[in-house]
Amino acid sequence: MIIPLYVLALVFLVPVAGVGIMGALKSKQLFAYGGAFSAFLATAVFWGGFALILLTTWSMLAGVDWTTPLLDLSVFLSPPV
Amino acid sequence: MHYPFLITCHGKPETPILTLRAHPVVFLTGGAVFLILFFVPFAAAALLPELTATLLESTVLGTGTVLLVSLYMLVVLLLGFNHFFNWFFDIWVVTNERIVDIDQEGVFSKKIGELELHKVQDVLAESHGVLATVFGYGRIKVETAGSHTEFAFDGLPKPYAVAKHILELAKADAPLHQGEAAAQH
Protein backbone atom coordinates (compact mmCIF):
# COMPACT_ATOMS: atom_id res chain seq x y z
CA MET A 1 0.00 0.00 0.00
CA ILE A 2 1.51 3.30 -1.12
CA ILE A 3 0.41 6.67 0.31
CA PRO A 4 0.86 9.36 -2.35
CA LEU A 5 2.27 12.84 -1.75
CA TYR A 6 -1.08 14.56 -2.26
CA VAL A 7 -2.18 13.17 1.13
CA LEU A 8 0.29 15.63 2.67
CA ALA A 9 -1.42 18.48 0.79
CA LEU A 10 -4.84 17.28 1.99
CA VAL A 11 -3.60 17.16 5.60
CA PHE A 12 -2.15 20.67 5.13
CA LEU A 13 -5.52 22.02 4.00
CA VAL A 14 -7.23 21.15 7.32
CA PRO A 15 -5.29 23.64 9.54
CA VAL A 16 -5.32 26.18 6.69
CA ALA A 17 -9.12 26.00 6.71
CA GLY A 18 -9.01 26.41 10.52
CA VAL A 19 -6.86 29.56 10.22
CA GLY A 20 -9.22 30.89 7.55
CA ILE A 21 -12.33 30.25 9.67
CA MET A 22 -10.79 31.85 12.77
CA GLY A 23 -9.66 34.83 10.70
CA ALA A 24 -13.13 35.21 9.20
CA LEU A 25 -14.78 35.10 12.65
CA LYS A 26 -12.41 37.76 14.00
CA SER A 27 -12.87 39.92 10.90
CA LYS A 28 -16.65 39.67 11.29
CA GLN A 29 -16.47 40.84 14.91
CA LEU A 30 -14.12 43.69 14.01
CA PHE A 31 -16.45 44.72 11.18
CA ALA A 32 -19.47 44.63 13.52
CA TYR A 33 -17.71 47.00 15.96
CA GLY A 34 -17.78 49.93 13.54
CA GLY A 35 -15.37 51.47 11.07
CA ALA A 36 -12.19 51.93 13.10
CA PHE A 37 -9.22 52.40 10.76
CA SER A 38 -6.86 50.24 12.86
CA ALA A 39 -9.34 47.35 12.64
CA PHE A 40 -9.58 47.76 8.88
CA LEU A 41 -5.78 47.85 8.60
CA ALA A 42 -5.27 44.74 10.77
CA THR A 43 -7.92 42.84 8.80
CA ALA A 44 -6.32 43.87 5.49
CA VAL A 45 -2.85 42.81 6.73
CA PHE A 46 -4.19 39.45 7.89
CA TRP A 47 -6.03 38.60 4.65
CA GLY A 48 -3.23 40.05 2.50
CA GLY A 49 -0.70 37.90 4.38
CA PHE A 50 -2.98 34.86 4.21
CA ALA A 51 -3.36 35.18 0.42
CA LEU A 52 0.34 35.94 -0.10
CA ILE A 53 1.50 32.91 1.90
CA LEU A 54 -0.86 30.55 0.05
CA LEU A 55 0.05 31.99 -3.36
CA THR A 56 3.78 31.67 -2.59
CA THR A 57 3.25 28.08 -1.44
CA TRP A 58 1.27 27.36 -4.61
CA SER A 59 3.96 28.82 -6.86
CA MET A 60 6.80 27.05 -4.97
CA LEU A 61 5.03 23.72 -5.39
CA ALA A 62 4.28 24.20 -9.09
CA GLY A 63 5.39 21.17 -11.08
CA VAL A 64 5.47 18.79 -8.11
CA ASP A 65 4.35 15.30 -9.02
CA TRP A 66 1.69 14.74 -6.38
CA THR A 67 1.52 11.01 -7.15
CA THR A 68 5.09 10.52 -5.86
CA PRO A 69 5.01 7.94 -3.04
CA LEU A 70 5.12 9.57 0.38
CA LEU A 71 5.09 6.36 2.40
CA ASP A 72 5.27 2.74 1.31
CA LEU A 73 3.33 0.67 3.80
CA SER A 74 3.37 -2.51 1.71
CA VAL A 75 6.13 -3.86 3.92
CA PHE A 76 3.59 -4.22 6.74
CA LEU A 77 1.11 -5.98 4.48
CA SER A 78 3.47 -8.57 3.02
CA PRO A 79 3.16 -12.05 4.49
CA PRO A 80 5.77 -13.07 7.09
CA VAL A 81 8.70 -15.03 5.74
CA MET B 1 -19.30 52.02 18.04
CA HIS B 2 -22.11 49.92 19.51
CA TYR B 3 -22.79 49.97 23.24
CA PRO B 4 -25.31 47.15 23.73
CA PHE B 5 -24.72 47.10 27.50
CA LEU B 6 -26.01 50.61 28.22
CA ILE B 7 -28.83 50.86 30.73
CA THR B 8 -31.43 53.43 31.68
CA CYS B 9 -30.73 55.19 34.95
CA HIS B 10 -32.72 57.93 36.75
CA GLY B 11 -35.18 57.78 33.86
CA LYS B 12 -32.52 58.68 31.31
CA PRO B 13 -30.35 56.49 29.09
CA GLU B 14 -26.79 56.20 30.26
CA THR B 15 -24.27 58.25 28.24
CA PRO B 16 -20.86 56.88 27.30
CA ILE B 17 -18.22 59.50 28.12
CA LEU B 18 -14.85 57.77 27.72
CA THR B 19 -13.86 54.72 25.71
CA LEU B 20 -10.45 53.62 26.91
CA ARG B 21 -8.11 51.18 25.23
CA ALA B 22 -4.46 50.35 25.95
CA HIS B 23 -1.88 52.56 24.22
CA PRO B 24 -0.91 51.44 20.66
CA VAL B 25 2.69 51.05 21.88
CA VAL B 26 1.48 48.25 24.18
CA PHE B 27 0.06 46.47 21.11
CA LEU B 28 3.14 47.17 18.99
CA THR B 29 5.64 45.83 21.56
CA GLY B 30 3.74 42.53 21.64
CA GLY B 31 3.21 42.64 17.87
CA ALA B 32 6.96 42.95 17.28
CA VAL B 33 7.38 39.41 18.67
CA PHE B 34 5.02 38.04 16.01
CA LEU B 35 6.80 40.04 13.31
CA ILE B 36 10.14 38.51 14.34
CA LEU B 37 8.60 35.01 14.44
CA PHE B 38 7.13 35.59 10.97
CA PHE B 39 10.57 36.28 9.49
CA VAL B 40 12.36 33.38 11.24
CA PRO B 41 12.03 31.02 8.19
CA PHE B 42 13.55 33.70 5.90
CA ALA B 43 16.44 34.18 8.34
CA ALA B 44 16.94 30.41 8.56
CA ALA B 45 16.99 30.12 4.75
CA ALA B 46 19.52 32.97 4.53
CA LEU B 47 21.75 31.54 7.28
CA LEU B 48 21.59 27.94 6.06
CA PRO B 49 21.47 28.18 2.24
CA GLU B 50 23.00 24.75 1.62
CA LEU B 51 20.57 22.92 3.88
CA THR B 52 17.66 24.84 2.34
CA ALA B 53 18.78 23.94 -1.19
CA THR B 54 19.23 20.26 -0.26
CA LEU B 55 15.78 20.14 1.34
CA LEU B 56 14.06 21.81 -1.59
CA GLU B 57 15.75 19.53 -4.15
CA SER B 58 13.98 16.47 -2.77
CA THR B 59 10.38 16.11 -3.95
CA VAL B 60 8.96 14.67 -0.73
CA LEU B 61 11.15 16.57 1.77
CA GLY B 62 10.93 19.79 -0.23
CA THR B 63 7.14 19.66 -0.48
CA GLY B 64 6.88 18.76 3.21
CA THR B 65 9.17 21.64 4.20
CA VAL B 66 7.30 24.18 2.05
CA LEU B 67 3.94 23.08 3.48
CA LEU B 68 5.25 23.07 7.06
CA VAL B 69 6.86 26.52 6.78
CA SER B 70 3.72 27.84 5.10
CA LEU B 71 1.59 26.48 7.94
CA TYR B 72 3.96 27.96 10.53
CA MET B 73 3.64 31.39 8.91
CA LEU B 74 -0.14 31.15 8.72
CA VAL B 75 -0.31 30.27 12.42
CA VAL B 76 2.00 33.16 13.36
CA LEU B 77 -0.17 35.47 11.22
CA LEU B 78 -3.30 34.26 13.02
CA LEU B 79 -1.69 34.68 16.45
CA GLY B 80 -0.63 38.21 15.49
CA PHE B 81 -4.19 38.97 14.36
CA ASN B 82 -5.45 37.50 17.64
CA HIS B 83 -3.06 39.78 19.54
CA PHE B 84 -4.55 42.78 17.74
CA PHE B 85 -8.07 41.44 18.39
CA ASN B 86 -7.47 41.17 22.14
CA TRP B 87 -5.90 44.62 22.28
CA PHE B 88 -8.72 46.18 20.26
CA PHE B 89 -11.57 44.64 22.23
CA ASP B 90 -10.06 45.01 25.68
CA ILE B 91 -11.75 48.28 26.64
CA TRP B 92 -13.19 50.31 29.45
CA VAL B 93 -16.27 52.37 28.76
CA VAL B 94 -16.83 55.08 31.34
CA THR B 95 -20.39 56.35 31.29
CA ASN B 96 -22.06 58.93 33.53
CA GLU B 97 -23.16 56.00 35.75
CA ARG B 98 -20.66 53.16 35.58
CA ILE B 99 -17.29 51.90 34.48
CA VAL B 100 -17.83 48.92 32.18
CA ASP B 101 -14.80 46.66 31.77
CA ILE B 102 -14.96 44.51 28.62
CA ASP B 103 -12.30 41.84 28.64
CA GLN B 104 -12.00 39.97 25.35
CA GLU B 105 -10.25 36.60 25.57
CA GLY B 106 -10.03 35.25 22.02
CA VAL B 107 -13.05 34.94 19.72
CA PHE B 108 -15.32 32.86 21.89
CA SER B 109 -14.76 34.31 25.33
CA LYS B 110 -15.71 37.72 26.66
CA LYS B 111 -15.98 38.99 30.23
CA ILE B 112 -17.89 42.13 31.14
CA GLY B 113 -17.63 43.65 34.59
CA GLU B 114 -19.07 46.88 35.92
CA LEU B 115 -18.46 49.27 38.74
CA GLU B 116 -20.88 51.99 39.68
CA LEU B 117 -19.31 55.43 39.76
CA HIS B 118 -20.99 56.55 42.99
CA LYS B 119 -19.25 53.66 44.79
CA VAL B 120 -15.79 54.74 43.64
CA GLN B 121 -13.67 55.73 46.60
CA ASP B 122 -10.17 55.89 45.22
CA VAL B 123 -8.55 56.09 41.80
CA LEU B 124 -4.85 55.31 41.56
CA ALA B 125 -2.80 56.17 38.46
CA GLU B 126 0.80 55.08 38.05
CA SER B 127 3.36 54.94 35.30
CA HIS B 128 6.52 52.82 35.42
CA GLY B 129 9.27 52.17 32.90
CA VAL B 130 11.00 53.98 30.05
CA LEU B 131 8.42 53.29 27.32
CA ALA B 132 5.53 54.17 29.64
CA THR B 133 7.17 57.48 30.57
CA VAL B 134 8.13 58.37 26.98
CA PHE B 135 4.75 57.50 25.46
CA GLY B 136 2.68 58.59 28.47
CA TYR B 137 0.80 55.45 29.42
CA GLY B 138 0.37 53.61 32.68
CA ARG B 139 -1.83 51.66 35.04
CA ILE B 140 -5.04 52.86 36.57
CA LYS B 141 -6.76 51.21 39.52
CA VAL B 142 -10.24 52.06 40.74
CA GLU B 143 -11.30 50.95 44.22
CA THR B 144 -14.63 50.92 45.98
CA ALA B 145 -15.09 51.20 49.72
CA GLY B 146 -17.51 48.53 50.86
CA SER B 147 -17.23 45.53 48.61
CA HIS B 148 -13.45 45.76 48.08
CA THR B 149 -14.08 45.62 44.36
CA GLU B 150 -11.07 46.64 42.33
CA PHE B 151 -10.79 47.47 38.64
CA ALA B 152 -7.39 47.80 37.04
CA PHE B 153 -6.29 48.63 33.51
CA ASP B 154 -2.70 48.45 32.30
CA GLY B 155 -1.15 50.49 29.52
CA LEU B 156 -3.78 53.18 29.51
CA PRO B 157 -2.84 56.46 27.74
CA LYS B 158 -2.78 59.58 29.95
CA PRO B 159 -3.57 57.70 33.19
CA TYR B 160 -3.46 60.80 35.42
CA ALA B 161 -5.94 62.74 33.27
CA VAL B 162 -8.23 59.69 33.10
CA ALA B 163 -8.05 59.24 36.89
CA LYS B 164 -9.00 62.90 37.38
CA HIS B 165 -11.88 62.57 34.91
CA ILE B 166 -13.23 59.43 36.65
CA LEU B 167 -13.06 61.12 40.06
CA GLU B 168 -14.92 64.14 38.69
CA LEU B 169 -17.60 61.89 37.19
CA ALA B 170 -17.86 59.96 40.47
CA LYS B 171 -18.32 63.20 42.41
CA ALA B 172 -20.96 64.39 39.96
CA ASP B 173 -22.81 61.08 40.21
CA ALA B 174 -22.67 60.70 44.03
CA PRO B 175 -25.46 63.23 44.90
CA LEU B 176 -27.88 61.37 42.58
CA HIS B 177 -27.45 58.22 44.72
CA GLN B 178 -27.60 59.74 48.21
CA GLY B 179 -31.18 58.58 48.63
CA GLU B 180 -30.20 54.98 47.83
CA ALA B 181 -27.34 55.07 50.38
CA ALA B 182 -29.64 56.46 53.08
CA ALA B 183 -32.24 53.76 52.36
CA GLN B 184 -29.59 51.04 52.77
CA HIS B 185 -28.59 52.35 56.20
Side-chain angles (χ1 to χ4, degrees), chain A residues 5 8 12 15-16 23 25-26 29-30 32-33 36 38-39 42 46 49-50 53 57 61 64 66 69-70, chain B residues 1-2 21 38 59-60 63-64 66-67 70-71 73-74 77-78 81-82 84-85 88-89 91 104 107-108:
Chain A
L5 191 56
L8 206 63
F12 166 77
V16 170
L25 285 171
K26 284 173 203 285
Q29 284 195 34
L30 286 169
Y33 181 84
S38 60
F46 173 76
F50 187 80
I53 291 166
T57 308
L61 297 177
V64 168
W66 290 102
L70 173 67
Chain B
M1 187 191 166
H2 308 294
R21 179 178 287 126
F38 190 81
T59 308
V60 173
T63 307
V66 169
L67 291 178
S70 171
L71 195 62
M73 291 175 87
L74 284 173
L77 192 71
L78 183 70
F81 194 39
N82 191 54
F84 171 82
F85 191 81
F88 190 79
F89 280 115
I91 52 174
Q104 185 76 37
V107 180
F108 304 110

Side-chain angles (χ1 to χ4, degrees), chain A residues 3-80:
Chain A
I3 295 176
L5 191 56
Y6 64 74
V7 171
L8 206 63
L10 292 177
V11 170
F12 166 77
L13 287 177
V14 176
V16 170
V19 171
I21 290 166
M22 288 299 282
L25 285 171
K26 284 173 203 285
S27 304
K28 188 173 170 276
Q29 284 195 34
L30 286 169
F31 179 75
Y33 181 84
F37 179 71
S38 60
F40 167 75
L41 195 67
T43 310
V45 167
F46 173 76
W47 287 112
F50 187 80
L52 189 70
I53 291 166
L54 289 184
L55 281 173
T56 310
T57 308
W58 180 264
S59 68
M60 281 183 86
L61 297 177
V64 168
D65 179 9
W66 290 102
T67 56
T68 307
L70 173 67
L71 282 173
D72 188 355
L73 299 176
S74 54
V75 65
F76 298 110
L77 302 172
S78 57

Side-chain angles (χ1 to χ4, degrees), chain B residues 116-136:
Chain B
E116 287 175 81
L117 277 178
H118 68 94
K119 290 180 181 168
V120 169
Q121 194 188 39
D122 193 26
V123 183
L124 175 80
E126 55 188 0
S127 181
H128 298 291
V130 179
L131 281 178
T133 308
V134 171
F135 291 100

